[in-house]
Amino acid sequence: MPSILKSSLENASFSIIFQIFCRCITFVLNAFVVRHVGLAVLGVITVRLLLLESTILFLSRELFVKACLTNTAEHNWAQVVNLLWLTVPTCVVMSFLCGYGWLFVLSTTEALPPYYTFAVWAVGLSCIIELSSLVVQLVASAFLFVRLKIILDTIMIVIRTMTFVPLILYYPENALLAFGIAQLVAAVFYTTSHYVYFHHHIKNLNKCSQKRRMSLKDSSDEYVIREFPFRAIKDFLPGQLENNDSYFDSKLIDLTWSFFWQGILKQVLTDGERYIMTIMPVLTFTEQGVYDIVNNMGSLAARFIFRPIEDSGYFYFTQMVKRDETIPDQNPAKVQESVNVLTRLCSVVTCIGLVVLVFGQSYSSLLLWLYGGSKLTLPLPVLLLRAHCLAVLLLGINGVTECYSNATADSATISKSNLIMIYQSIAFLGASYLFVIWFGPVGFIFGNCVNMSLRIIHSAKFINKRYQDTVYRPLRGLVPKPIFSTCLLVAAFVTNLSHTYLFPAAKAWHLVIGIVMFIIVLGSWIYENHWIYELINLATSKLYDWYERRQTKQKKSD
């Protein structure tokens, strides 16, 4: 298996595990906050403050990372380091602008909790601290340090939680103070740990002259072996690596700039409902807290599975498909493999989304009851979660199609798509605002569905145009197969009957029926997708090899 594909799959696997761990902590933490300080404070933290963090990091980091992850095997790392350090002053500017806006421009009809000002500036400072290690983070991704990111991210979540929880227990009235301190402590750890790790790694490299695999050659499936270009920790600073070219790579600058406006628009499209809640207070802080709880539950599949698949898929496609060449002019083996991967990814996310949509209609009430008791089984939370199930389907499809489009489009295409994204942003914000007025909080979800649909159409047009002169049709993976579709329809009918007659009187039997129907649906999907057997056989062989090696080591030790 090629290194890039193997690393992408490994990264996706570890990312899914990390996302599950992270969301479990978040779920428990949200319940903890609700019980100790109330839904209003939860609404301020999860909507206002986390939106501030997301905005600063997206505008300061995303465009640089996307550009610099493209074709890493051909990078002049001195130029990449110089470019990435521009994110720090960019983040400083964004932190001041956004912080000022969050404090003095945004209006609110309610009194803000104590230490809100401190929390805002703490978020900005934590973003600056985190981006001071962005060079090291990108080097870790480019040189396939797959486990490092997952381990450090996990430890950072634990440290943030262990800092936040005791402060809440002792000073529940100062929840935002605790939040700000936890953000700063986690950011300092995250940045420091990256530099400490690579300090030791470089020290070992200098002793052993080890090498790491970078990427595939353009003309074959053999690996390009390049020495790790950093010989001291100071090489991660700008202007330290040997550089015979210009200070910045003009192509990377053009690519970065082409991502700029698209990045702004994508951020609006991604967090549009939270921007509406923050800028135009259509919901109270308490309602925002309830919406966020249900929103997190409704996006479990997106956060656990879709986002890691999208991130790993983006890295994979950037290495396998060239932006500036047509498909017929590229390496046929790489094209064939990338088409197979894209087709299967489309199939996987579509089937997952359909399962969530079907079972979500009958089991939203049960899930909410298990999480929050009878308080969350009221009509509004149930309606919100059921509507989220449709959004999950569209979100999964959009994630895969858009990650391929962003990974393989050239600068001109990306720039042209900015105008289309402006129209999408306007349509999304307008639809969300109108739907909220007409339908209440569930209107945010309907607006997001409009947003996802428009983005899917745009990405699908790009992919079809990309392959129009070939025999490949990767988007056929979006069409579910007949046996799977039939089983889904039967499951929808049976589970709806179960919900009508068994919930809430016989919750256990309702759950058992759902499990049985899910097993049937899962079996039909595996039966119709023969490539699943290859993955199962591969996993089994890896497990067997690991067991054999372990047994051999035990025999030698004995």
Side-chain angles (χ1 to χ4, degrees), residues 326-328 335 339 464-474:
T326 61
I327 294 297
V335 170
V339 167
N464 285 331
K465 184 178 180 180
R466 190 90 158 126
Y467 289 96
Q468 65 182 358
D469 297 327
T470 69
V471 296
Y472 302 118
R473 297 295 179 266

Side-chain angles (χ1 to χ4, degrees), residues 21 31 64 282 351 418 425 481 546:
F21 171 78
F64 291 94
V282 293
C351 292
N418 289 339
S425 301
K481 296 185 178 180
W546 172 81

